[in-house]
Amino acid sequence: MSGRLEGKRAFCTAAAAGIGRSTALRFAIEGANVVASDIDADGLEGLREEAAGLAAAGSIETRVVDVRERASVDAAAREVGAVDVLFNAAGYVHHGNAVTTSDDDWLFSFDLGVHSAHRVISAFLPAMIDNGGGSIVNIASAAGATKAVANRYAYTAVKAAVVGLTKAVAFDFIAQGIRCNAICPGTVDSPSLRSRISALGEQVGGEARAREMFIERQPMGRLGTAEEVAALAVYLAGDESAFTTGQAMIVDGGFTL
């Protein structure tokens, strides 16, 4: 099946790398007109080049947006106008527990992981409603949705909040044609994970062992891919999921079993 998002306009955050990048590309391949945003201008340039090389059915335009700044988000919403799909992927994985996590770590994690979604949704939602509705897809995590993970105190709290935010938006705007769902991935191979593997490798005798440790906690015996998460995002963004809202969809290779 192709053209599943034909005629739709989508705004994506954190699109320069990882899940955000794969989702922006997949949206375009499925026919959407995509506005891909990030604070990383060089990463966005690479995304544009990759999309051209794939001859994506839709198109990708990029713009630098800082989701931690209300003025930046509001300006993007004004200039982009009404969209059919809103995809929030900005986040940060902090390592620490309730004792070792500083106030600054806690506040930064919530600002990037939760407040950014609030800024984007509140800025884009009025035009979506005026345009007849649409789909909002937020990236949460298997951590926080159903279970805790060691030394992910701030991260688990942040992702639980994203699930709560998702349900609140779905409930409040269901009559205005807005659907809002969250995707809760397990451990996904991404630039963020590779950075954590590098840091852990210094403590456990090398990156190879560190990578094995992340794989060992996945019952399927492998890491997920950003493309597998993007496939679910396409479903939630499109009309196939028209009867689905307020859900936390798990894609975790059995991590939460």
Side-chain angles (χ1 to χ4, degrees):
M1 182 183 294
S2 61
R4 295 162 70 190
L5 301 181
E6 191 71 38
K8 295 188 184 296
R9 184 162 169 80
F11 182 84
C12 303
T13 71
I19 291 171
R21 183 190 188 94
S22 291
T23 299
L25 285 169
R26 185 67 183 270
F27 281 1
I29 289 168
E30 293 291 348
N33 175 272
V34 179
V35 181
S37 74
D38 203 294
I39 198 170
D40 178 5
D42 291 339
L44 289 174
E45 179 61 30
L47 169 65
R48 190 162 46 236
E49 293 171 359
E50 186 175 356
L54 289 171
S59 64
I60 291 183
E61 59 181 279
T62 59
R63 60 181 302 136
V64 174
V65 177
D66 185 352
V67 293
R68 296 185 65 211
E69 294 291 338
R70 168 59 73 175
S72 181
V73 173
D74 285 350
R78 286 194 304 271
E79 293 163 18
V80 170
V83 297
D84 305 288
V85 180
L86 198 57
F87 181 75
N88 288 304
Y92 167 68
V93 182
H94 178 263
H95 181 87
N97 58 37
V99 174
T100 62
T101 299
S102 70
D103 284 356
D104 286 344
D105 293 333
W106 179 267
L107 293 171
F108 175 80
S109 295
F110 269 84
D111 192 38
L112 183 57
V114 182
H115 299 164
S116 66
H118 160 68
R119 292 183 191 104
V120 173
I121 291 170
S122 62
F124 279 84
L125 190 54
M128 290 181 74
I129 293 171
D130 289 344
N131 197 43
S135 174
I136 301 170
V137 182
N138 301 317
I139 294 295
S141 173
T146 63
K147 67 176 293 180
V149 178
N151 291 309
R152 293 290 183 266
Y153 173 63
Y155 181 75
T156 300
V158 163
K159 293 307 186 180
V162 171
V163 171
L165 175 152
T166 297
K167 291 180 178 294
V169 171
F171 190 87
D172 285 340
F173 297 99
I174 192 168
Q176 285 94 337
I178 298 297
R179 295 186 299 111
C180 188
N181 293 285
I183 298 176
C184 304
T187 308
V188 172
D189 196 356
S190 66
S192 171
L193 178 65
R194 290 190 283 275
S195 176
R196 281 175 275 145
I197 286 173
S198 178
L200 180 60
E202 297 177 2
Q203 305 171 32
V204 299
E207 291 188 14
R209 176 54 190 147
R211 186 177 182 86
E212 287 176 2
M213 291 172 67
F214 279 102
I215 293 173
E216 285 169 358
R217 71 184 194 180
Q218 289 294 135
M220 278 191 178
R222 69 171 178 87
L223 302 175
T225 69
E227 290 75 18
E228 288 169 322
V229 179
L232 181 54
V234 169
Y235 169 73
L236 291 174
D239 296 336
E240 295 164 287
S241 61
F243 203 53
T244 302
T245 193
Q247 300 305 302
M249 310 285 279
I250 306 290
V251 51
D252 71 349
F255 181 64
T256 54
L257 290 176

